Structures are given as structure tokens and as C-alpha cells.
Amino acid sequence: MKHPEYSRYDLAFKEPAITSRSTMLHKETYLIRIFDETVPEGSVVGEVPLFRGLSAEDSPGFEQSLLEYCSGYPDNGYPSMSSLAFGIDSVNQQIMFRKNPDEDEIRIPINGLVWMGDKRTMSGRIRQKLDAGFRCIKLKIGGIKFEDELDLLRTIRKEFSPTDLELRVDANGAFTPAEALEKLKRLSEFSLHSIEQPIRQGQWEEMRKLCETSPIPIALDEELIGPWCGRSDEEMNTLLESIRPQYIILKPSLCGGFKAADRWISMAEKHGIGWWATSALESNIGLTAIARWVKKHNPVIPQGLGTGALYTNNFPSPLRMEGDELVVDPTAEYNIPELDWK
């Protein structure tokens, strides 16, 4: 049997991607190719999307760990690293699809993501999303003056009521526990659907208090990022019971792969906690895998996905946008260039 191969691939942003944590010009990712004689092409490609600064396995030895896993596959078993678990899950998904290619076209409603920038830039980006037909918009906040962010929300609400347009905001942990509740009260003026991660992860007691008192529903995001592949249901359940959020947000490549994400959904639903999935700047290979995984759960609210249009060098893929729907065309193919496989 031929061992899997991997290759690094750096995705280049069309414009700097700004969050409250950092500014990114490129996104490092890895592709993994597994050979399987039972599929027509003889091999399938998945994505191992390392996210520097967020992935639990972000370390100088990551590529060596990937090489060692490939060298010992399949005897190494299911990966303990979240990004690699996602890669193996996406490969297995591809194998199943190649063997049974009668997939229907997938359509998933998504939110329009507005990245941080100065007030004028963000205003222009908001208008682009509205003109494109999005009925749910998510704004990254915490990177410019709070008053300017309030002005942007105020401008939107003057034109679009909550019944016409759903607004979500993502603070990426930008608020301190001392200021968070007051800022949430001011934000509540604009009838927001939710706010993601108002304070940094790991502050469970402070987050629990916010979830109890916030006038805006709170969604945990970074709180779920970590080495969850091998964690027990009891450990995962402890987090939900300790904080009691209104929503959780699932980034499969950061929270343990699709298997762990399935477990999060099962536990959240038992507690009456809502959820949606978001991408974590994957290439179109990873995005297609997430879209297919999301669809099996029949989502009822807009998801945080996209077509990878942020990049100049993404792979042509089965993904396309139609209005505010992400479409996966089962007849389309990836177009992967020649890479340096190892």
C-alpha cells in the first residue's frame, strides 16, 4: 500500500484580512492525498488546514508530525490533532462521494461576512453584501473605534429592520470582562441576532455571568477550539453546563474534525443550545467538505460559510454563490495544480 502524501500550500488574500487579533496576508494550509484503488481516479485529496495562532497544534513541529502520521497510516489510527482529523474526515468523505457520485445539488443559506477595516471601508463592504442579496450579515467588531462600529450598525438599522435583515457580530474576544456587559447593552439597541465570543476564551465564570445577563444572545466560538478529538463527552458537556451559552459555533477544522463536531451538536441540542457552523479560512477543498457535512444536519439558520473568494490562488471547485446561498455542484470538479508532494 502506498502511504499518503502531503503538500504545503499558501493561500494569498486579495486584501489584508483584519480581526481584533491580527492582520493576515496569507493563510498556510496543507493538502493530503490518499491513494485508494476503489475510486476511479485512484486517489483523493483532502485539506489539513493549519490556522496559525488558533489551531491547538500550531507548533514548529507540525509538519514533522504530519509526515510521521502519513508514514504510519493507517496503523496510526484516527488523528489526535484537530486539523489532521479534519483532513482525514474530508478524505473519507471524498472517497464515499467518488464511490457513490449520485449526490444532489446542495444549497445552504449563509451569512455575508464583513471584515474589519476603517469605517468607510466597512460601510462599502456592507453595501456590497446587501446589494448581493444577503439577508443575514455578520460584522467583525473590536478592531476600530467602538463608536464607529455603533454608527455602522445604526446606519444599517435605519434602512433595514430586524425582520428584513439579520445582524450578527463577532468580537473575537476583544472586550474585557469589566467592559463587556456595558458594551453588550449598547449593542442591543440594534436588535442583533447574536454576538460571538465577546471576551477571550478560558474565562468560564465571567462568560457564564455574561450569558446569564447579556441582552444579546451569546455564541461560543474560540471557546470550543482545542484538542477535542480525544476528549470525553463528559468533558465537553462540562463546558456547556458551566457556561450555558445560547449558541455554539462549530469550526470543524479547529474543534476536532467532523466526528467531534457531531458530538458537540448532539450535546448542544440536549441542552437546548442552538448552533451553526463556520469555516476557518479553509481553501475550497475544505469548504466543500464542510458544506457537505453541514447539509447532513439540515441547518435551519444561515451558516458561516463561503466560496473562498478571499484568495487570489484558491482552487476551482464545485462551490459557487447564488444570492445568499452557497451551492455545491455535484458535477463540478476540483482543479489542483502540480504540487510538491512529500
Side-chain angles (χ1 to χ4, degrees):
M1 183 188 72
K2 191 173 181 180
H3 291 302
E5 299 174 337
Y6 76 90
S7 178
R8 175 170 168 166
Y9 190 80
D10 286 356
L11 295 156
F13 284 100
K14 293 178 180 177
E15 299 179 22
I18 303 172
T19 73
S20 59
R21 290 187 302 266
S22 64
T23 298
M24 295 174 285
L25 301 178
H26 72 273
K27 166 66 168 58
E28 175 184 346
T29 196
Y30 292 82
L31 302 184
I32 185 170
R33 180 166 66 178
I34 288 183
F35 299 89
D36 189 320
E37 65 277 4
T38 66
V39 299
E41 297 82 1
S43 67
V44 292
V45 175
E47 182 174 4
V48 181
L50 182 66
F51 199 136
R52 295 292 181 189
L54 271 184
S55 295
E57 55 270 19
D58 177 13
S59 71
F62 173 79
E63 190 167 343
Q64 180 62 32
S65 297
L66 179 55
L67 175 61
E68 291 173 0
Y69 183 84
C70 289
S71 299
Y73 183 87
D75 295 336
N76 284 339
Y78 191 70
S80 60
M81 296 190 299
S82 184
S83 58
L84 185 49
F86 178 87
I88 295 300
D89 287 342
S90 66
V91 163
N92 289 334
Q93 182 194 79
Q94 274 278 30
I95 291 173
M96 290 179 61
F97 172 67
R98 295 297 182 187
K99 290 180 178 179
N100 303 283
D102 297 327
E103 179 184 61
D104 293 330
E105 184 178 79
I106 293 174
R107 290 180 174 269
I108 300 173
I110 67 172
N111 61 235
L113 176 60
V114 177
W115 285 88
M116 289 180 183
D118 57 41
K119 185 178 177 182
R120 181 177 179 180
T121 299
M122 290 186 71
S123 180
R125 290 171 178 168
I126 290 168
R127 174 48 58 188
Q128 289 174 357
K129 296 298 182 185
L130 297 175
D131 290 345
F134 282 93
R135 292 164 290 179
C136 176
I137 290 179
K138 184 176 91 170
L139 281 73
K140 295 276 189 178
I141 64 172
I144 63 175
K145 291 181 180 179
F146 186 60
E147 295 300 328
D148 287 345
E149 292 169 340
L150 294 178
D151 285 344
L152 286 169
L153 292 167
R154 191 172 292 112
T155 299
I156 296 171
R157 275 292 176 244
K158 284 181 180 178
E159 186 173 354
F160 298 94
S161 72
T163 56
D164 295 325
L165 180 69
E166 182 176 284
L167 283 175
R168 301 172 179 174
V169 295
D170 182 2
N172 286 124
F175 303 159
T176 67
E179 70 185 0
L181 184 57
E182 180 57 33
K183 287 190 171 183
L184 291 172
K185 289 178 179 178
R186 297 193 66 189
L187 287 166
S188 68
E189 171 189 344
F190 308 107
S191 302
L192 303 182
H193 170 271
S194 56
I195 181 169
E196 298 179 27
Q197 204 71 42
I199 62 175
R200 284 186 300 103
Q201 67 267 36
Q203 304 177 88
W204 287 16
E205 181 61 23
E206 290 84 353
M207 187 69 87
R208 182 189 63 78
K209 291 177 181 177
L210 282 179
C211 290
E212 285 181 348
T213 58
S214 172
I216 303 171
I218 289 176
L220 302 186
D221 182 0
E222 285 87 350
E223 208 75 62
L224 273 61
I225 294 173
W228 290 103
C229 301
R231 299 286 185 91
S232 67
D233 286 355
E234 182 179 0
E235 290 175 287
M236 298 166 80
N237 195 58
T238 296
L239 184 150
L240 297 181
E241 288 190 335
S242 298
I243 299 178
R244 299 176 187 173
Q246 285 76 37
Y247 296 98
I248 60 172
I249 294 173
L250 298 166
K251 291 182 168 69
S253 65
L254 294 174
C255 72
F258 292 139
K259 290 183 179 180
D262 285 340
R263 291 163 60 205
W264 278 120
I265 290 173
S266 178
M267 278 180 276
E269 290 178 342
K270 289 178 181 178
H271 288 285
I273 297 170
W275 68 273
W276 68 90
T278 70
S279 52
L281 300 179
E282 293 87 359
S283 78
N284 281 338
I285 294 173
L287 285 171
T288 302
I290 296 173
R292 286 174 169 150
W293 168 76
V294 165
K295 184 60 179 177
K296 80 173 188 177
H297 288 285
N298 294 315
V300 296
I301 63 176
Q303 304 293 295
L305 307 179
T307 61
L310 295 169
Y311 302 119
T312 62
N313 61 338
N314 212 334
F315 310 106
S317 76
L319 299 175
R320 70 175 189 272
M321 286 297 302
E322 289 186 8
D324 65 349
E325 286 187 321
L326 177 66
V327 181
V328 182
D329 180 355
T331 66
E333 297 288 342
Y334 299 115
N335 186 359
I336 300 172
E338 288 295 323
L339 300 173
D340 181 21
W341 295 101
K342 299 178 182 179

